[in-house]
Amino acid sequence: MNVLLLGPQGSGKGTQAKRIADEYGAPHIATGDMLRATIQSDTPLGRKLKPILDSGRLVSDDLMIELIRNRLEEADAANGFVLDGFPRTWAQAQALDSMLREIGRDLNVVFALQVPDDVCTQRLLKRAREEGRADDTPEVIAERLGTYHRETEPLVDHYRTSGNLVGIHAGRSINEVFSEIQVALEQVAVR
Ligand code: AMP
């Protein structure tokens, strides 16, 4: 099962992606987590990435496409994956389409998690208090949500046209959202 989640920061995308991955035994591929791990490793690349993530801007398409290409080639992704945080731009979506075409695979389902900005902001500010992420400040949150609407949200239409898009009302509790996701996944599985 190849699953993709789209949604603004604070939509619960990471939480839901983890649950899907656990339930279906597929790796959770979260580009934000991968980038933060690289920053922790304190390499030249990590030092280059840190100010970009801290400011809420996007990392270059070339770097991200390379990162995902390598990750999808790893053995654990051979039977499926739950992709979270990629693609975020039109160029990344085009690259993913052609990568999947090359290896003869398809996205079985694309979930678009929908939550109003004010709810996202409140959730991210709560996460800031709990986890202290450098990019969860009010200014950077506004920057990231703006980037989402400008660069990433148009991809929802791209996947709507290519099929398999499922919209999810993600303003509810984690369990309620996951139940809706499960229903959709079961429909895909029996297809
Ligand atoms: P996230 O944990 O998904 O909110 O990602 C944290 C940060 O990592 C983002 O604000 C970007 O700076 C960077 N990032 C993650 N995924 C991507 C991507 N696909 N393209 C560009 N930048 C990304």
Side-chain angles (χ1 to χ4, degrees), residues 9 13 31-33 35-36 52-53 56-61 64 84-89 92 127 133 135 144:
Q9 296 77 0
K13 196 163 40 76
T31 47
D33 290 349
L35 295 169
R36 280 185 290 277
I52 304 177
L53 267 79
R57 284 176 292 126
L58 291 182
V59 174
S60 79
D61 286 334
M64 293 311 302
D84 159 14
F86 183 97
R88 261 178 156 94
T89 64
Q92 292 179 15
R127 183 171 74 184
R133 246 176 75 167
D135 57 352
R144 289 156 66 212

Side-chain angles (χ1 to χ4, degrees), residues 59-189:
V59 174
S60 79
D61 286 334
D62 288 351
L63 201 152
M64 293 311 302
I65 290 165
E66 191 58 26
L67 187 82
I68 282 296
R69 182 181 293 282
N70 292 334
R71 184 63 187 88
L72 291 181
E73 280 171 4
E74 282 179 36
D76 66 341
N79 294 320
F81 52 78
V82 182
L83 202 48
D84 159 14
F86 183 97
R88 261 178 156 94
T89 64
W90 183 250
Q92 292 179 15
Q94 295 297 315
L96 179 65
D97 285 353
S98 58
M99 265 182 245
L100 293 175
R101 217 176 300 123
E102 268 169 38
I103 53 175
R105 290 165 71 173
D106 219 345
L107 293 169
N108 301 96
V109 58
V110 177
F111 290 111
L113 272 56
Q114 288 141 353
V115 185
D117 277 6
D118 56 335
V119 176
C120 290
T121 304
Q122 289 315 314
R123 287 179 175 181
L124 292 171
L125 290 173
K126 182 164 173 276
R127 183 171 74 184
R129 289 192 293 273
E130 289 165 359
E131 297 175 21
R133 246 176 75 167
D135 57 352
D136 281 341
T137 62
E139 297 74 28
V140 180
I141 289 170
E143 167 79 24
R144 289 156 66 212
L145 289 173
T147 306
Y148 177 79
H149 292 304
R150 210 170 47 245
E151 307 268 356
T152 311
E153 207 168 27
L155 304 182
V156 173
D157 278 337
H158 169 65
Y159 291 112
R160 186 175 289 121
T161 358
S162 59
N164 302 339
L165 185 89
V166 178
I168 301 283
H169 298 289
R172 296 162 305 155
S173 75
I174 294 175
N175 286 338
E176 284 169 320
V177 175
F178 188 62
S179 300
E180 194 176 328
I181 287 180
Q182 263 182 319
V183 170
L185 286 172
E186 274 151 28
Q187 282 170 359
V188 171

